[in-house]
Amino acid sequence: MTVRRSAGLLATVVLAAIATHAAALALLPTLIVGEIIRRTSADYGINALAVPPQPSAEWQPIVRPSPDFLYGICAYDLTDGPVLLSAPKLGTYTSVALYASNSDNFYVENDRRSAAPAIGLVIARAGDRPATDVPVVVSPSPRGLVLVRVLADDDSSAARAADLLREGRCQRLR
Amino acid sequence: MADRGRRKVRTTVAAYAAAAVLGVLAGLVSLYLALGQIIATGTVQVGPWRTNPAIGSPSASPYLRAAISLAAVLALASKEALYFFAFTDSDGAPLTARCSYTIEGPEPQVRWWSITAYRRNGYLPETTSGRASLNARSVSHRPDATFTAAIAGVGSPAGPGDIAFAEDTGFNLLLRLYGARPDVAGDLPRAMLPAIRRTVCR
């Protein structure tokens, strides 16, 4: 093998390694969140708030879930317009977190940040002008996830929290 | 002569294709190792606990964002919750369900906190108590504002509030702090976090 050919092969290995490393690094969060959005919308629909079972050793749809929380989840799609989100405050720690398609938690609010009886907001794209009197949050991506966390560290509080959380909404703004 | 030339071209193409495949594998393996190190070392270390204040945030580096998407996807930004990972006890030994542990230290001054055990792959383990999490309500509180809790290894006696492993596995812990005061969140290296002490091994 000539020196020239050896150098060419080595350069191919190095360039392929750098390109793969960089591409996988950039795409990984989007691929993982995209898969969660795909599964959530397949199981519960798009722009719909679902209350799955509380995480346990038998049911854990994502890595490192907290078994102390009941989760409400909504895969949103702003293609057809803004989405209205409403989550009741349940007298215990409750938070609403919005995630862009690249996994960034770009907005979070909890039950103590306002005196209103529910956490309400509209998710919109930049440039949308939704007619609403609740806070408008601009999503950096047209699709994303809403995660509502409700502290429910015993069976009785979990059952009550699940009933109340189902009264929440995640739907296209009319 | 023409056959020899074609054979040479085929050999060259095969060699470059193999080099490209090798490069792709090297790229994936190097990324996997780098992402594992980011979580295992963190940028802030307090005893056995490791964290990075940019977890969940749009200001996270591409490496941290990718690492968290593998290790704890959909984490909250630090203004809402702080996450500390522990892969060893306070003496630096890897955590294993063959041993039992005491976790003790100052009661975190936050709205809510929990310590959850996960298998090495990041999923909840089987426990005899059905509990994989210690939290502000389950641990024993002492008059001096400290707490103590236990993780029982496989086959070891356990109290009702303990994590009691039903499977022999290596594990790690994730400490979550919700509603930390801004001075705590802004000075993580000085955070008063609990010690993880090994008590007995099989």
Side-chain angles (χ1 to χ4, degrees), chain B residues 133-200:
Chain B
S133 176
L134 308 167
N135 62 47
R137 278 201 277 261
S138 73
V139 299
S140 299
H141 303 272
R142 294 167 169 155
D144 62 353
T146 63
F147 77 92
T148 182
I151 297 176
V154 177
S156 298
D162 299 344
I163 296 172
F165 277 97
E167 58 178 298
D168 188 352
T169 178
F171 71 95
N172 48 73
L173 297 172
L174 178 55
L175 166 61
R176 293 172 165 93
L177 302 178
Y178 296 88
R181 293 193 320 257
D183 59 317
V184 174
D187 193 9
L188 293 178
R190 291 175 187 270
M192 302 290 281
L193 302 182
I196 307 168
R197 303 190 199 288
R198 190 167 61 186
T199 52
V200 64

Side-chain angles (χ1 to χ4, degrees), chain A residues 64-125:
Chain A
R64 287 195 174 82
S66 172
D68 294 324
F69 283 108
L70 183 74
Y71 293 92
I73 189 165
C74 169
Y76 66 81
D77 185 343
L78 307 177
T79 307
D80 294 326
V83 166
L84 172 68
L85 177 72
S86 171
K89 293 180 180 176
L90 306 179
T92 183
Y93 176 88
T94 305
S95 66
V96 169
L98 306 186
Y99 297 87
S101 59
N102 71 347
S103 82
D104 283 350
N105 173 209
F106 66 91
Y107 179 86
V108 59
E109 181 176 355
N110 69 45
D111 56 302
R112 287 192 175 170
R113 294 226 174 94
S114 79
I119 300 173
L121 56 93
V122 166
I123 312 168
R125 291 180 297 187

Side-chain angles (χ1 to χ4, degrees), chain B residues 2 4 11 38 52 58 61 69 88 112 114 136 169 185 198:
Chain B
R4 197 169 155 196
T11 306
I38 283 174
N52 185 318
S61 72
S69 70
T88 68
W112 173 258
S114 66
T169 178
R198 190 167 61 186

Side-chain angles (χ1 to χ4, degrees), chain B residues 5-120:
Chain B
R6 275 197 292 272
R7 208 163 39 240
K8 190 174 176 187
V9 168
R10 273 202 299 271
T11 306
T12 302
V13 169
Y16 276 93
V21 170
L22 187 64
V24 167
L25 291 174
L28 292 175
V29 170
S30 63
L31 180 61
Y32 180 78
L33 295 175
L35 297 183
Q37 277 304 302
I38 283 174
I39 298 299
T41 57
T43 56
V44 175
Q45 303 181 6
V46 183
W49 303 100
R50 308 283 184 266
T51 192
N52 185 318
I55 287 175
S57 155
S59 66
S61 72
Y63 280 96
L64 179 62
R65 185 179 289 118
I68 287 298
S69 70
L70 283 177
V73 67
L74 307 184
L76 288 162
S78 61
K79 75 171 189 175
E80 185 66 21
L82 300 171
Y83 298 88
F84 293 86
F85 295 84
F87 297 89
T88 68
D89 62 22
S90 293
D91 292 325
L95 298 170
T96 168
R98 293 182 180 178
C99 298
S100 296
Y101 300 86
T102 296
I103 299 180
E104 57 188 358
E107 188 86 42
Q109 298 301 302
V110 295
R111 182 175 176 193
W112 173 258
W113 64 270
S114 66
I115 297 174
T116 308
Y118 297 95
R119 294 185 192 121
R120 283 200 183 113

